[in-house]
Amino acid sequence: GSFLKGRRQALHLKAADWYQDRDAVLYAEHLGQAGSDRAPIPKWPPHAIKRTYILRMGSSHSTKFPEGGYIPASDFAARHREDRAMKETLQPGLKVTKRYNVDKEKTIDFMGDELRVYATPMMVMDVERTCLALMDEHAEIGESSVGARVEIDHMGPTLMDMWIEVRAEVVEVKGPKVVFDVEVHDALDQVGKARHIRFMIEKAGQQGRLEKKRAKAKEAGAL
């Protein structure tokens, strides 16, 4: 009833306060959910709000923002929801298949040339690059994805100079998180299976995080 509605509004307003100096889109989204028309992020100039929105949604949406002045938070959030729906092409059930050659550089060498087979770290790399390729097809300008987890079973050997095929399927999409189930086959057998988690990111934000870590590493003498 009215108590729960008031509680939800209070929670959304609390979340909006936390995001106020951090994320223009989420700030406005929570204000919109709370039913508030407070101008989004009064501490940020309009071009900063617009830039944050474009980083999330792509440059093709930039014309929806005025060059000066603020817009109501509910309007801002509604525009975000509308454009976000247009992006939701990355859905469970999407599949991708890539084939790679197992050349010498992709094989183990610690048992000698006669026993060279496809190396497990190379299987991990091929799983990642296959899933990356699918996500790149659904990324906006300024976006890419990073791997966060790989659970892999290397089930059998593949000889040098054979090919392998990576077959990946999206099984879960939750915000920027995307989960894949993956099978790896050579010409004769299934030789691997994996579950891989990736996150869609903004490259500009990633660059900022890396610059901060680089500065800390230099201070610590690690670079």
Side-chain angles (χ1 to χ4, degrees), residues 46 55 60 86 122 124 152 185-186 219:
L55 284 173
S60 61
M86 295 172 62
M122 296 300 170
V124 173
I152 197 158
H185 295 254
D186 62 24
E219 288 179 6

Side-chain angles (χ1 to χ4, degrees), residues 211-223:
E211 288 173 353
K212 288 180 181 178
K213 186 161 188 177
R214 185 174 291 108
K216 289 182 179 179
K218 286 181 179 179
E219 288 179 6
L223 279 177

Side-chain angles (χ1 to χ4, degrees), residues 42-212:
K43 295 181 182 179
W44 288 20
H47 73 271
I49 299 173
K50 181 175 177 179
R51 179 177 178 275
T52 302
Y53 187 87
I54 292 168
L55 284 173
R56 279 183 169 270
M57 305 309 301
S59 59
S60 61
H61 305 292
S62 62
T63 56
K64 294 195 175 186
F65 279 83
E67 289 302 322
Y70 297 104
I71 61 173
S74 57
D75 186 25
F76 186 98
R79 294 182 187 187
H80 170 50
R81 285 193 294 271
E82 174 188 349
D83 289 337
R84 184 175 58 191
M86 295 172 62
K87 284 185 58 181
E88 291 178 353
T89 56
L90 187 57
Q91 296 288 340
L94 286 177
K95 298 178 181 180
V96 61
T97 299
K98 298 285 185 181
R99 184 175 289 189
Y100 308 99
N101 292 324
V102 179
D103 52 26
K104 187 175 182 179
E105 287 70 26
K106 283 192 167 186
T107 62
I108 61 172
D109 61 3
F110 53 84
M111 293 195 296
D113 285 344
E114 294 301 318
L115 296 176
R116 283 185 177 272
V117 293
Y118 187 37
T120 302
M122 296 300 170
M123 181 182 287
V124 173
M125 181 184 74
D126 289 336
V127 166
E128 284 216 60
R129 66 199 291 203
T130 299
C131 297
L132 168 65
L134 187 146
M135 290 187 68
D136 277 349
E137 292 178 3
H138 300 270
E140 291 281 2
I141 296 172
E143 290 182 335
S144 188
S145 67
V146 293
R149 186 177 181 89
V150 181
E151 302 171 33
I152 197 158
D153 294 323
H154 198 156
M155 300 159 57
T158 299
L159 304 176
M160 185 171 68
D161 295 327
M162 294 182 71
W163 53 260
I164 59 95
E165 198 169 76
V166 180
R167 305 168 186 173
E169 179 179 356
V170 177
V171 294
E172 180 185 339
V173 179
K174 189 174 182 180
K177 175 185 175 183
V178 182
V179 182
F180 293 85
D181 276 347
V182 186
E183 292 184 358
V184 183
H185 295 254
D186 62 24
L188 302 176
D189 304 294
Q190 181 178 351
V191 296
K193 64 180 180 179
R195 173 155 283 211
H196 181 35
I197 298 174
R198 300 188 70 79
F199 284 83
M200 194 74 82
I201 63 163
E202 297 165 1
K203 289 189 281 187
Q206 180 77 339
Q207 182 178 354
R209 287 188 289 272
L210 295 180
E211 288 173 353
K212 288 180 181 178

